Amino acid sequence: MPLVTLTTFRTTHDANLAKAVLEDEGVPAFVADENVTSIAPYLSPMGVKLQVADGDVDRAEGILNRISGLDVAERTTASAERAIRHPEQCPHCGSPDVRSTRRLLGFLISAAFLFAVGVAVDQLVMMFYLTLAVCIFFLVASPYRCADCGHRW
Ligand SMILES: [Zn+2]
């Protein structure tokens, strides 16, 4: 029965992994790595072919699709984790209109205002402590705000 190239892998390692999975499922597979040079045995410029017998192609493709499906699931999990770190949706109402609050700008404006008031009323020491309090407030302030419902988190 003639061999059919099922897919091409970038490295011998990946091809051998897929071969092992196929053979574990009872499909004899062959890695055709005649293009591999002795200088870079794991990185073939032509790719490493994974071949199966003509009659096994459908089954082998099904198995490989299942493996790549797992890969996709792992990538989806990774992007979900990124979304938690950088929320794009309000956890309260689900609105995508999320603003990150401009904490530094707010602090600078407040500090400048307090300093001006301190100069005007000749109470610089009191204003220094007020500025300190405002600084702490902005440090603990929620970094995200929903533009739709005003929810902060
Ligand atoms: Zn909201």
Side-chain angles (χ1 to χ4, degrees):
M1 202 175 270
L3 287 178
V4 175
T5 299
L6 197 64
T7 182
T8 307
F9 290 92
R10 205 163 53 84
T11 64
T12 316
H13 178 76
D14 287 348
N16 278 320
L17 269 179
K19 173 181 166 18
V21 172
L22 288 180
E23 291 189 335
D24 197 45
E25 302 265 351
V27 178
F30 306 89
V31 171
D33 54 357
E34 64 265 26
N35 294 315
V36 176
T37 64
S38 56
I39 302 162
Y42 295 105
L43 255 179
S44 165
M46 302 297 288
V48 184
K49 292 185 179 109
L50 183 71
Q51 298 179 319
V52 294
D54 203 11
D56 287 334
V57 170
D58 284 348
R59 236 188 113 207
E61 275 183 344
I63 294 164
L64 286 188
N65 283 340
R66 216 169 61 218
I67 309 170
S68 56
L70 288 178
D71 281 352
V72 170
E74 278 167 22
R75 275 198 294 277
T76 309
T77 311
S79 61
E81 279 167 11
R82 266 200 303 282
I84 291 166
R85 279 197 294 277
H86 299 284
E88 282 155 10
Q89 275 196 342
C90 170
H92 187 70
C93 69
S95 162
D97 201 358
V98 169
R99 312 280 165 85
S100 79
T101 54
R102 291 177 179 169
R103 293 196 291 180
L104 185 63
L105 187 68
F107 168 68
L108 289 176
I109 291 169
S110 307
F113 175 75
L114 286 173
F115 180 74
V117 172
V119 170
V121 301
D122 205 15
Q123 290 283 345
L124 274 179
V125 173
M126 193 185 83
M127 285 308 158
F128 171 76
Y129 285 113
L130 260 177
T131 308
L132 214 62
V134 169
C135 180
I136 290 164
F137 169 79
F138 276 104
L139 279 178
V140 299
S142 316
Y144 298 107
R145 188 177 66 85
C146 172
D148 277 353
C149 70
H151 179 66
R152 284 168 180 271
W153 70 100

